[in-house]
Amino acid sequence: MNVTENAGQPEIVFRALDAGGEFPSVVGPLVEAAKRELPGRPELEPPDEGEYAAKNRGVLLVAYLGRQASATGGYRAFPGDPTGNTAEVRRMFVRTGARRSGLGRTMLAELEERAWDDEYGQMLLYATEDLAAARALYEMAGYRRHTDFDPKDDSGRLAYVKQLNGQAN
């Protein structure tokens, strides 16, 4: 469990979850709120137990503000990169009442730090055009559009990539 303190902000506690057992019970209310707000998003479904398994070099986090689960986020090895250098951000969501508090930025930074510690060189994430606030957050955090990773389906998802070693794409 990691604790982050921001001056004048409530304490944020990060806790890694067991995707199979704990995820539904701990963040079920968050997931249900996300599904109501963003209907039809498959990334908001509970993960398969294997998605964050050791072979996928990933982690699934929940961030607590006070005692309330307020955000989720995780990463795994991106299956489209045979080198294993790319971590894919998955299931990132901030509870409506916790938005604009810096929690999304803090969650993203925590994921990046853990991915760097897990020896990933870059992070990849997806957003759709209608998620303007999320895309702005990613761009402010140093993510850049990367069309090579855009899905070839009709999902409308846009790929964003950030080098974790601080070098530009």
Side-chain angles (χ1 to χ4, degrees):
M1 198 174 325
N2 287 0
V3 177
T4 301
E5 293 188 33
N6 296 332
Q9 297 288 335
E11 178 179 82
I12 301 169
V13 177
F14 292 97
R15 184 171 151 227
L17 294 181
D18 168 31
E22 293 180 295
F23 186 88
S25 63
V26 172
V27 297
L30 265 176
V31 170
E32 290 308 311
K35 285 164 60 173
R36 282 190 303 275
E37 184 178 340
L38 303 166
R41 305 263 184 186
E43 68 272 16
L44 297 176
E45 294 300 322
D48 298 334
E49 288 187 42
E51 184 173 340
Y52 298 98
K55 69 177 180 151
N56 291 328
R57 295 174 47 218
V59 68
L60 181 61
L61 301 177
V62 62
Y64 291 88
L65 282 176
R67 292 190 169 143
Q68 185 172 20
S70 297
T72 63
Y75 65 82
R76 65 174 182 181
F78 177 59
D81 180 0
T83 69
N85 188 50
T86 305
E88 178 185 14
V89 175
R90 306 273 296 157
R91 303 181 196 290
M92 191 160 154
F93 181 76
V94 177
R95 173 177 60 80
T96 302
R99 292 187 187 146
R100 304 187 66 86
S101 68
L103 182 57
R105 182 175 52 250
T106 304
M107 171 63 83
L108 196 54
E110 181 73 15
L111 292 171
E112 290 170 1
E113 182 179 328
R114 288 176 183 237
W116 177 254
D117 289 346
D118 283 343
E119 300 182 358
Y120 286 106
Q122 66 182 2
M123 296 283 279
L124 164 73
L125 53 81
Y126 291 101
T128 55
E129 286 203 33
D130 62 325
L131 297 177
R135 289 185 302 109
L137 166 69
Y138 304 146
E139 289 170 6
M140 285 189 322
Y143 287 79
R144 298 294 170 250
R145 282 278 294 119
H146 202 302
T147 57
D148 290 348
F149 287 104
D150 281 348
K152 306 304 181 225
D153 56 25
D154 293 336
S155 65
R157 295 182 305 158
L158 307 172
Y160 288 82
V161 175
K162 178 179 182 179
Q163 299 300 314
L164 295 179
N165 57 12
Q167 295 178 3
N169 291 339

